[in-house]
Amino acid sequence: MALLSACAPAPTDGGSSGSAAASDYLPCIVSDFGGFDDKSFNQSSFDGITQAADELGIEFKQAESKSEDQYASNTSSMVDQGCNFVLTVGFALANATRDAAQASPDTHFALIDSAISNDDFSPLTLDNVKPVLYDTAQAAFLAGYLAAGTSKTGVVGTYGGLQFPSVTIFMDGFADGVTYYNTAKGADVKVLGWDKAAQTGLFAGSFDDINQGKALSTGLIDQRADVILPVAGPLFQGTAQAIQDSGKDVAIIGVDSDLFETTPEFKSMYLTSVLKQMAAATKQIIVDDSKGDFSSAPYVGTLENKGVDIAPLHDWESKVDPALVKEVEALKADIISGKLKVESPSAPK
């Protein structure tokens, strides 16, 4: 399917099954500049609207942003094209979503990975905007514990694309999972790339510079990190390249989607992925809206409602101690029950 640049006058139609004439309901989607083939949250959200359109037998429209200065025009263009529902993908589109929603109160919006706020950053609630949020710290905690238990060097690392809350929440959970492992086992596994207490760390400065992802990962590998969590969209491909160049046995922990399925060319490197089940959530929100059942109440994905999780170990299963896997499963149950609290300043409130 051809994707449309945001600067084009109108978005293209997406695929559908069934007759579009059966309904005049029109959902639409706007990406951030990572694009719909980012192997990450844009692609998962696109899968969700595609699935909804297939189930409803309708068409949808899409606009793929190529740069940040296209967010506002892309979002408003969806309204101009007669969209009943607009899905905007990513924290960076929060203000564009807010402004379009305020200008078009009869259009429904859902915003992935962010709530909306006023210009002074005070919280704002609009009746026609549904925040779609994920407490990914819960799942990243499990990945951090798994990473610490798997590491042979006693050093693991992480880096982000940009310092957005939807990025640092992964890093918070990951660091806490390592800390929990150290406490439980009397170990001293070090985390490079993120200091949770100070909320400072290693960032690429974008979500599209794969070479920078490679450079940051090379630096982590040079410091003996043998498990790396890139929270940077497609930049994990740079991490894979750095691992290949190093010739070392280094594992990647993916984010958003199961990288084993979305990018199998590096499948031997994936320990697991921290999942945000965006396709399922966005599909359901769109189907509900098409039936007149829209709510502006935030959706928050958790381990309990299966909105977040970690992926299977796939090719790494034979390399991981089964006892460690059982410990991770027990921790997951403790988080779901409330016995174990995972906290992050970026967690949905």
Side-chain angles (χ1 to χ4, degrees), residues 10 37 49 86 105-106 115 122 128 130 134 139 141 145 161 166 178 200 246 248 270 289 297 301 313 327:
D37 60 349
I49 194 171
V86 181
D106 293 333
S122 60
N128 61 332
K130 185 180 190 69
Y134 294 87
F141 181 98
Y145 189 95
S166 56
V178 174
T200 58
S246 75
K248 296 179 179 178
Y270 304 137
D289 185 56
L313 301 183
E327 290 170 18

Side-chain angles (χ1 to χ4, degrees), residues 133-135 138 277 280-281 298-309 332 336:
L133 308 170
Y134 294 87
D135 195 352
Q138 293 185 347
Q277 308 288 19
Y299 166 85
V300 179
T302 64
L303 286 174
E304 183 175 13
N305 65 19
K306 301 181 180 179
V308 301
D309 207 342
K332 179 179 177 180
I336 290 173

Side-chain angles (χ1 to χ4, degrees), residues 92-127:
L93 277 83
N95 287 348
T97 305
R98 176 199 65 193
D99 295 346
Q102 288 177 323
S104 307
D106 293 333
T107 303
H108 292 162
F109 295 80
L111 171 62
I112 299 290
D113 269 347
S114 181
I116 54 174
S117 63
N118 294 298
D119 286 337
D120 63 0
F121 302 107
S122 60
L124 175 65
T125 299
L126 295 176
D127 290 340

Side-chain angles (χ1 to χ4, degrees), residues 15 29 41 94 116 125 130 136 172 183 198 205 220 244 246 290 314 328:
I29 184 171
F41 65 101
I116 54 174
T125 299
K130 185 180 190 69
T136 40
D172 286 339
T183 301
L220 293 171
Q244 288 175 328
S246 75
S290 74
H314 298 299
V328 171

Side-chain angles (χ1 to χ4, degrees), residues 14-20 22-23 25-27 52-54 56-60 286 290:
S16 69
S17 64
S19 171
S23 173
Y25 178 74
L26 179 61
D54 286 347
L56 295 170
I58 60 174
E59 298 196 357
F60 66 90
I286 294 167
S290 74

Side-chain angles (χ1 to χ4, degrees), residues 1-2 12-18 20 27 46 49-55 57-62:
M1 181 184 299
T12 60
D13 289 338
S16 69
S17 64
F46 189 85
I49 194 171
T50 301
Q51 292 168 18
D54 286 347
E55 179 171 315
I58 60 174
E59 298 196 357
F60 66 90
K61 292 182 181 292
Q62 64 192 67

Side-chain angles (χ1 to χ4, degrees), residues 27-339:
C28 301
I29 184 171
V30 182
S31 80
D32 78 355
F33 64 77
F36 292 125
D37 60 349
D38 66 349
K39 316 296 185 185
S40 189
F41 65 101
N42 283 287
Q43 184 169 326
S44 295
S45 301
F46 189 85
D47 288 345
I49 194 171
T50 301
Q51 292 168 18
D54 286 347
E55 179 171 315
L56 295 170
I58 60 174
E59 298 196 357
F60 66 90
K61 292 182 181 292
Q62 64 192 67
E64 183 175 44
S65 304
K66 297 298 186 184
S67 63
E68 293 181 15
D69 61 5
Q70 296 173 340
Y71 294 159
S73 59
N74 243 5
T75 304
S76 61
S77 77
M78 297 292 93
V79 179
D80 294 341
Q81 291 297 309
C83 299
N84 305 103
F85 174 93
V86 181
L87 178 67
T88 52
V89 186
F91 178 88
L93 277 83
N95 287 348
T97 305
R98 176 199 65 193
D99 295 346
Q102 288 177 323
S104 307
D106 293 333
T107 303
H108 292 162
F109 295 80
L111 171 62
I112 299 290
D113 269 347
S114 181
I116 54 174
S117 63
N118 294 298
D119 286 337
D120 63 0
F121 302 107
S122 60
L124 175 65
T125 299
L126 295 176
D127 290 340
N128 61 332
V129 178
K130 185 180 190 69
V132 182
L133 308 170
Y134 294 87
D135 195 352
T136 40
Q138 293 185 347
F141 181 98
L142 302 179
Y145 189 95
L146 179 65
T150 303
S151 175
K152 291 181 171 58
T153 64
V155 182
V156 300
T158 184
Y159 68 90
L162 291 165
Q163 194 162 351
F164 291 157
S166 56
V167 171
T168 58
I169 188 172
F170 282 93
M171 301 164 86
D172 286 339
F174 182 74
D176 280 351
V178 174
T179 298
Y180 195 89
Y181 178 89
N182 286 337
T183 301
K185 303 292 186 179
D188 187 26
V189 179
K190 293 179 173 56
V191 178
L192 305 177
W194 185 241
D195 182 332
K196 183 187 175 185
Q199 291 286 294
T200 58
L202 193 62
F203 293 92
S206 78
F207 293 98
D208 59 357
D209 189 348
I210 291 176
N211 286 333
Q212 181 65 2
K214 181 178 180 179
L216 294 179
S217 300
T218 298
L220 293 171
I221 294 169
D222 287 346
Q223 296 176 77
R224 301 181 62 245
D226 62 354
V227 183
I228 299 176
L229 171 74
V231 193
L235 270 63
F236 74 87
Q237 297 171 75
T239 301
Q241 293 168 11
I243 293 170
Q244 288 175 328
D245 288 353
S246 75
K248 296 179 179 178
D249 190 17
V250 178
I252 295 173
I253 295 177
V255 300
D256 296 336
S257 303
D258 185 349
L259 296 187
F260 188 90
E261 296 179 351
T262 62
T263 317
E265 56 263 41
F266 303 120
K267 65 181 183 179
S268 65
M269 300 180 189
Y270 304 137
L271 174 58
T272 186
S273 294
V274 181
L275 305 176
K276 291 194 294 189
Q277 308 288 19
M278 286 170 286
T282 55
K283 174 190 173 184
Q284 192 60 54
I285 290 167
I286 294 167
V287 170
D288 289 347
D289 185 56
S290 74
K291 298 175 180 178
D293 187 17
F294 177 85
S295 168
S296 61
Y299 166 85
V300 179
T302 64
L303 286 174
E304 183 175 13
N305 65 19
K306 301 181 180 179
V308 301
D309 207 342
I310 59 172
L313 301 183
H314 298 299
D315 285 0
W316 271 75
E317 186 171 2
S318 62
K319 302 180 183 181
V320 177
D321 186 347
L324 178 63
V325 174
K326 289 183 179 179
E327 290 170 18
V328 171
E329 291 172 349
L331 290 173
K332 179 179 177 180
D334 285 347
I335 294 171
I336 290 173
S337 71
K339 180 180 178 181

